[in-house]
Amino acid sequence: MNCNMASIAENINSLKKQVPENVQLIAVSKTKPPALLLEAYASGQRLFGENYVQELTEKHAVLPDDIEWHFIGHLQSNKVKYIAPFVHWIHGVDSLRLLREISKQASKHNRIIHCMLQVHIASEESKFGFSADEIRQECSLFDASEFPNIALCGLMGMASFTTDVDVIRSEFNHLKTLFDELQHGPFQHVRTFTALSMGMSSDWPIAVEEGSTMIRVGSAIFGTRN
Ligand SMILES: *Cc1c(COP(=O)(O)O)cnc(C)c1O
């Protein structure tokens, strides 16, 4: 798992060879300095994921304009305004209230922001994300016309922190099943509802087998974090 020995370019090229074409690779660069993001950029990487609002705005200010920024952390409503001018994707939306705020802030900049609803699939306790039942309920109330500056694109989830691959596979499988249910049910008229963000450095191959369309990979590209 420790990839510090290989260069960032080597890690990216090796991942790109393994990841199927229909799956997007998001380079998770939290805590890493801009110079390392530029190394990834130089090898063709354009999708970057960040977890912290201030760190993201600082990096956005100094890095190339054609980077597509993905916010993957927990987002507080009062901080949406700082990233709304430029962020492309927000993966971890965990309430319709937050979705409403994102739409409002995006409208001030005449932008559409791609959003994914976070679902809590791991066995561990977590404050963040909808349960499957909560999301079914919210979906039944969902009215796209209330969110004119949002493209609702799919679901995001994180598997348990475990080495038990059967547990991980079954959690990803549950998320994919829920995604299919919503895509063919309450969201069948939401044409953008096509993305499933699941899989990180340690579990992305399982996530891809289970139907992921976006993997969020940090340490396998940039090395372990402190
Ligand atoms: C940090 C993080 C990742 C990347 O984790 P790695 O194990 O370094 O690949 C992916 N998704 C989220 C939500 C994260 O916070």
Side-chain angles (χ1 to χ4, degrees), residues 28 30 51 72 156 158 199-202 216-220 225:
V28 175
K30 62 185 174 208
N51 287 55
I72 63 170
M156 177 268 211
M158 273 187 283
M200 321 193 342
S201 293
S202 58
R216 311 175 309 268
V217 178
S219 44
R225 288 179 296 275

